[in-house]
Amino acid sequence: RKEYPEFNLRYVQPINATPGSGTGIRMLLDGELDFSQSSRSIERQEHISAHQQGFSLREYHVAIDAIAIVVNPSLKVRGLTIEQLKKIYSGEITNWQEVNGPDLEIVPFSRKAEDGGTPEFFQDHVLQNQPFGSKIEYVYSTTDGLNQVKNTLGGIYYASAPEIVPQCTVKSIAIANQEGEFIPPYLPPAVPLKNCPNKRNQLNSVAIKNATYPLTRYLYVIVKQDDGRAQKAGEAFAKLMLTKEMQTLIKKVGFVPVN
């Protein structure tokens, strides 16, 4: 707003819906937004819906993100493989003892898949398009999920790494990649939670950028291709996000820049 006072940005809160990538794209298709931001790519049905209305959608890569997994700070577990994560969230594994942890019930938390790009990404890439298990406890937001894990010894939750890696009330854990090496979403060694907030865990940016850390994804600006004001606004915002200054700010807030 300081640098471009002529470019007015206004955030529109969704009505009767949870904020998230899917909600944003739906609002864009319904004409409630000029452009949207998303942590997942445009889906086939969304492309079809746009074409039925006489326009198309285009996505711009503007940053790289990772999904981090957090547990209660008191839980003693080294890390998880993608297969173990899949079995936890599908309901096949229900006790931490089954993944080299204590004899304790696992309580998995998640946002609903239809509400955001993060649970959609998780369902696609971890559950391999299978449904979430029947014992998932659904939360409204990441703040809600973190509070639940903080208060639940056997709790587990996942979200965008920059949101949860620096947190003081939960513990991020390492995920095994295809080579079987456990890669943390934070820069090792982990900062003890007793030192937080004076010192916080930092994002493992190198492992995220080169995809050594297995749960990585692009972040997008979704732009309506209608040759009108909406397209001009969306393209202006996407180009702004790709400038040197904005890529520096993207890194500063915890994401990995694409340039």
Side-chain angles (χ1 to χ4, degrees):
R1 287 178 177 174
K2 277 185 181 178
E3 298 297 325
Y4 304 94
E6 73 280 7
F7 189 37
N8 285 315
L9 289 172
R10 181 171 66 91
Y11 174 77
V12 180
Q13 182 73 26
I15 300 173
N16 298 323
T18 304
S21 300
T23 301
I25 295 173
R26 284 197 299 273
M27 292 173 70
L28 179 61
L29 290 168
D30 292 343
E32 297 174 40
L33 301 176
D34 288 326
F35 60 88
S36 67
Q37 298 181 95
S38 178
S39 57
R40 65 158 172 81
S41 188
I42 303 165
E43 295 180 347
R44 180 174 177 273
Q45 189 55 48
E46 291 164 342
H47 279 299
I48 292 172
S49 179
H51 281 292
Q52 289 173 341
Q53 297 181 64
F55 58 87
S56 61
L57 297 177
R58 180 178 176 183
E59 57 193 32
Y60 289 83
H61 303 134
V62 296
I64 304 170
D65 187 23
I67 305 297
I69 313 299
V70 292
V71 297
N72 186 279
S74 300
L75 185 72
K76 300 292 189 292
V77 63
R78 177 193 174 194
L80 294 169
T81 67
I82 297 294
E83 183 64 20
Q84 287 171 334
L85 261 180
K86 176 185 176 183
K87 290 183 177 179
I88 286 172
Y89 273 87
S90 66
E92 292 181 60
I93 292 178
T94 59
N95 193 296
W96 284 107
Q97 200 169 39
E98 299 174 72
V99 291
N100 300 313
D103 183 8
L104 179 70
E105 180 186 3
I106 297 175
V107 184
F109 297 97
S110 175
R111 289 164 61 209
K112 291 183 178 179
E114 62 268 24
D115 288 338
T118 300
E120 287 183 78
F121 176 92
F122 192 89
Q123 189 173 35
D124 290 344
H125 292 79
V126 176
L127 294 181
Q128 297 174 351
N129 294 312
Q130 298 300 310
F132 284 101
S134 60
K135 293 191 176 181
I136 300 296
E137 296 199 17
Y138 290 104
V139 296
Y140 174 76
S141 65
T142 289
T143 299
D144 185 17
L146 294 176
N147 283 331
Q148 294 287 353
V149 171
K150 177 187 74 174
N151 296 319
T152 308
L153 184 56
I156 182 172
Y157 182 67
Y158 63 91
S160 175
E163 290 183 292
I164 60 179
V165 165
Q167 294 288 338
C168 298
T169 59
V170 293
K171 178 173 68 176
S172 302
I173 60 174
I175 301 298
N177 60 18
Q178 289 183 340
E179 288 72 36
E181 181 183 3
F182 280 92
I183 308 293
Y186 54 83
L187 277 177
V191 175
L193 291 180
K194 65 181 180 180
N195 295 345
C196 197
N198 294 326
K199 191 175 181 183
R200 296 176 184 264
N201 279 308
Q202 301 298 309
L203 214 61
N204 193 349
S205 298
V206 172
I208 293 169
K209 189 162 190 174
N210 65 22
T212 306
Y213 181 79
L215 294 176
T216 60
R217 60 182 178 175
Y218 281 112
L219 300 179
Y220 306 90
V221 175
I222 310 297
V223 180
K224 182 185 291 186
Q225 305 293 290
D226 64 352
D227 294 322
R229 184 179 64 90
Q231 180 173 342
K232 290 179 182 178
E235 289 179 347
F237 183 77
K239 289 174 182 176
L240 180 65
M241 295 290 280
L242 292 169
T243 62
K244 182 179 178 180
E245 293 81 4
M246 289 299 282
Q247 289 286 295
T248 299
L249 289 174
I250 281 171
K251 183 177 181 180
K252 186 176 180 180
V253 298
F255 296 106
V256 177
V258 292
N259 294 336

